[in-house]
Amino acid sequence: MPRLILPLLLLLLAGCASDPATVSVSPNADGHQSTFFIQALDAPGQREDLEDRFDLGVRRALEAKGYRYQESSGELRVIYLFGLDNQSGIVQRPVSTSAGVITQTQITDSAEARLALRILDEASGEVLLQAQGARQLHDPSLTQQVFDDAIARLLKDFPAHAGH
């Protein structure tokens, strides 16, 4: 399995540059697996507090679909990269003054969130779901509810556990 981690990491990193988020679900994703575990991979800008929120969001979304979480192994492996890049930019805006219109220059700070997520069938190694994307964040202090909602949307087409 360690031989597979590097190619998966490279594929996930390649997907991080896309915008907006794209999600694809394999036609072979049929919900017959019942357990899952989560594995975060290191990404630039990864923050432990956001990783914990992301893990919890994934857990809640899959448990709502009838899957059972296990800490270190399962029939489904959820791997992801989630990172934030702080970016500075320059914005020029016209401003009306008594002397006429002048251009005001401002320096802006924002963060770009990058995500690559895969759900793999642990037995076959097949990718059952792949999601990737990047988005500008104006408020990088993301709440658990924001993570829960976003992950639920990402996994909305992933099938529920067949026994659910």
Side-chain angles (χ1 to χ4, degrees):
M1 189 63 188
R3 291 183 307 143
L4 295 175
I5 294 297
L6 185 58
L8 286 173
L9 178 63
L10 294 174
L11 285 170
L12 286 170
L13 282 172
C16 284
S18 67
D19 187 19
T22 57
V23 179
S24 60
V25 179
S26 167
N28 294 330
D30 59 10
H32 76 273
Q33 301 89 347
S34 61
T35 60
F36 71 96
F37 70 107
I38 302 168
Q39 182 179 19
L41 302 174
D42 288 332
Q46 191 157 343
R47 291 184 5 206
E48 192 172 310
D49 62 325
L50 297 181
E51 184 179 312
D52 291 344
R53 290 180 209 164
F54 194 87
D55 284 1
L56 183 56
V58 168
R59 247 183 104 163
R60 287 176 174 172
L62 287 174
E63 286 174 343
K65 290 181 172 277
Y67 296 96
R68 196 173 68 254
Y69 173 74
Q70 296 185 164
E71 193 162 320
S72 61
S73 67
E75 295 168 291
L76 297 173
R77 175 190 299 252
V78 179
I79 59 174
Y80 71 90
L81 291 168
F82 179 78
L84 294 177
D85 278 336
N86 291 323
Q87 299 176 340
S88 295
I90 296 176
V91 175
Q92 294 184 318
R93 294 188 174 109
V95 177
S96 294
T97 67
S98 58
V101 176
I102 62 169
T103 302
Q104 182 181 45
T105 302
Q106 294 178 315
I107 296 175
T108 61
D109 289 319
S110 64
E112 181 182 57
R114 294 175 335 282
L115 168 67
L117 170 106
R118 285 190 171 180
I119 298 178
L120 305 158
D121 180 299
E122 189 67 358
S124 69
E126 181 177 2
V127 177
L128 301 178
L129 177 133
Q130 179 170 290
Q132 54 198 28
R135 173 171 286 178
Q136 284 298 121
L137 297 178
H138 301 290
D139 179 12
S141 59
L142 302 169
T143 65
Q144 184 63 54
Q145 189 62 48
V146 168
F147 275 94
D148 290 354
D149 294 346
I151 294 165
R153 281 193 308 275
L154 285 175
L155 300 182
K156 71 178 172 58
D157 293 331
F158 192 71
H161 172 52
H164 186 59

